[in-house]
Amino acid sequence: MGLSKGDHLYLLDGSAYIFRAYHALPPLTRKSDGLPIGAVSGFCNMLHKMVAGFGKAAPTHLAVIFDHSSETFRNEIFAEYKANRPPMPEDLRPQIPLIREATRAFGLPCIEMEGWEADDIIATYAVQAAADGAEVTIVSSDKDLMQLIRPGVTMLDPMKNARMGPEEVEAKFGVAPDRVIDVQALAGDSVDNVPGAPGIGVKTAAQLIGDYGDLDSLLARAEEIKQPKRRQTLIDHADQIRISRDLVTLEQDVPVADAVEHFGLHEPDPEPLLDFLTRMEFRTLTNRIAEALDAEVPVAEVEEPPISTDSEGPGAERPWPEIDAQGYEILRNPARLAEWVAEATSTGLLCVDLETTSLNEMEAEIVGIALALEPGRAAYVPVAHVSGDGDLLGAQDRVPDQIPLDDALAALKPLLADPACLKIGQNLKYDLKVLARYGVPVRPIDDTMLISYALDSGKGGHGMDELSERHLGHRPQPIKELIGSGKSRITFDKVELEKAAHYAAEDADITFRLWHRLRPRLAAERVSTVYHTLERPLIQVLADMERAGIKVDRATLGDMSNRFAQKMAEYEDEIYELAGRKFNLGSPKQLGEILFDEMELEGGKKTKTGAWGTGADVLESLAALHDLPAKVLDWRQLSKLK
């Protein structure tokens, strides 16, 4: 059906809007729970300003286009495409799903497609609409979109409120819009890691395209170029230049699922929009939009649990179900796991906890994966439980009705790596290191252990059991009840599946409750910066360092040890000569007898056991009186180094 003459389609580059909004405002958190909302606030204000200020160029149709993920078909063409881009800021990640929700709350289509960049989707809709005779405005300042400018298609820079047509494109690239791709292929792009032709910038590229007409003609006639260095660059890097052209060329036939005629612009429904703005605590914008829509501002409902304080005891009121197995489930088949993954993707929150065969994350094997979607609702994904004592070779029977580990990780990997879903855990560094061995990245993350440490570093331990008793008034099931201790201890894969599932699901449930309880305090107690900029970013850094380890040169250390031993022997001879006899230098008792009973040095003090004290502080004070204590200190230092 499409559009027709007289229609005006606006295509908003939502991904560019997000980063503009993020950098336009200082860090902002929601007062009720400390959730970062600076980008959401900026995005909503820009969206409202855009929709409310169209004037004469008001659109009839409008859609907001987002990038689905960082991986697209271009990475198959060139693996290093966009590889040098910095990672998304940690405080921006949890805001991405909220920005998508904001778009829908404003009543606007929220469009994204896996495997395609937002620019490709914009290109497809723009070309289709222009072919139907409609006018198209691309709301973005991204230079990559300038190749789309043509009769009926213009760009609008929302920050400068300036329109861009063929003249503005030529002023920037030195060529008309239909030759922008050729210039970009030659000049490359350091931001997106498009290689281009080394040493050739936009100005030179435009001159070459102007002289030879197009990129193919230029490469075919490269031998004619008079400048030797430029000529050789084009000859040597012709294939690289062609790959660069493929990277910068926007696809115009993306198989979009949403028809452009469904993007008709209309006044937003006040109820969902004002409800969203109220939950975000954007009071000024809420009141402004409520007045414009002639609607009542909804009363904010407190959805988060009350902030824990030292005065709160086990009986403090909580808006959650009791901690028991009623809301726990064993996910025994891929279809049910897929439903949980879909729900977590939708909500943008997931608590995750691994059960393994060892506390040594470098050799631990995954036995099961515990998940929680909300307090009181958790599940266990068994993957490697076994039964029986095994045969003569130690083999054991696999417990039936489990999801194979490879299948479980394949289902969870996209979610665990999804920047729009926050993964919550307790001591997540362990889980990150185990999952890294299986090639599964996890980001973004929140760690209840480190949140507790940032809040209450001097008020006790930060293990899950202790935090649960302190903040939730609940004593979790001890792991020893399942695996035993000492010689009778078993690994978790031998624990009865139903018992293991309850234990693991409870851990995930408790962790999610602790997150709800502790995280609001970060902002309230002014430690958000410490956690977000120091503690949390270091989790992945330390995990990577610990997995990599360090290289040790045994030969060098052996040589050092021998040198220390030789010097120690020299000190021993000097000490024995000063003492007048040999004794055990490693015995504080014998050293004390030499110093205070035989040499009768002053300043000695006896310990509770009746022996003379010979600690470093004692020897340092005696060193001014006699050479022997000073030599003993030197000997001890070398002994430690050896």
Side-chain angles (χ1 to χ4, degrees), residues 111 113 121 124-125 128 253-259:
I111 310 298
M113 290 185 66
I121 302 172
T124 298
Y125 282 129
Q128 288 179 2
D253 54 358
V254 176
V256 291
D258 300 272

Side-chain angles (χ1 to χ4, degrees), residues 274-352:
L274 295 176
D275 175 69
F276 173 81
L277 297 175
T278 301
R279 283 190 287 113
M280 292 298 103
E281 301 174 7
F282 300 152
R283 293 182 179 85
T284 301
L285 184 59
T286 303
N287 292 331
R288 186 184 304 145
I289 291 180
E291 182 179 353
L293 297 177
D294 193 22
E296 292 291 329
V297 175
V299 178
E301 295 182 5
V302 179
E303 297 183 355
E304 301 291 347
I307 293 174
S308 172
T309 65
D310 291 340
S311 62
E312 277 191 301
E317 183 179 354
R318 293 184 291 272
W320 309 317
E322 291 298 321
I323 300 176
D324 57 32
Q326 293 298 313
Y328 300 164
E329 180 181 350
I330 301 178
L331 306 182
R332 298 179 182 271
N333 62 77
R336 187 66 182 127
L337 175 58
E339 293 175 4
W340 272 65
V341 169
E343 189 168 347
T345 302
S346 175
T347 61
L349 285 177
L350 177 71
C351 184
V352 61

Side-chain angles (χ1 to χ4, degrees), residues 50-125:
M50 170 64 65
V51 174
F54 284 122
K56 294 181 180 179
T60 58
H61 298 73
L62 188 149
V64 185
I65 319 296
F66 293 98
D67 288 319
H68 179 80
S69 66
S70 58
E71 293 288 324
T72 69
F73 72 94
R74 289 181 176 85
N75 295 100
E76 298 176 7
I77 298 173
F78 183 58
E80 299 302 311
Y81 178 66
K82 291 190 175 181
N84 57 355
R85 282 199 173 189
M88 182 182 295
E90 286 295 325
D91 60 336
L92 177 57
R93 291 184 186 277
Q95 300 185 67
I96 301 299
L98 294 175
I99 287 173
R100 290 183 171 91
E101 185 180 350
T103 303
R104 290 186 284 266
F106 271 91
L108 301 173
C110 178
I111 310 298
E112 59 183 323
M113 290 185 66
E114 186 172 2
W116 301 94
E117 293 185 41
D119 288 359
D120 298 308
I121 302 172
I122 290 172
T124 298
Y125 282 129

Side-chain angles (χ1 to χ4, degrees), residues 579-640:
R581 68 179 177 88
K582 288 187 176 183
F583 63 97
N584 182 1
L585 264 173
S587 170
K589 182 176 182 296
Q590 291 185 33
L591 177 61
E593 291 171 353
I594 294 286
L595 293 174
F596 302 113
D597 291 336
E598 298 180 16
M599 300 180 67
E600 297 183 344
L601 296 179
E602 296 181 357
K605 292 182 180 180
K606 290 191 174 183
T607 65
K608 293 180 180 180
T609 62
W612 292 104
T614 58
D617 55 339
V618 174
L619 296 182
E620 286 172 357
S621 64
L622 293 176
L625 304 175
H626 201 281
D627 288 342
L628 191 148
K631 293 293 182 183
V632 172
L633 283 171
D634 291 339
W635 181 89
R636 284 183 176 179
Q637 183 179 30
L638 282 179
S639 177
K640 290 179 179 179

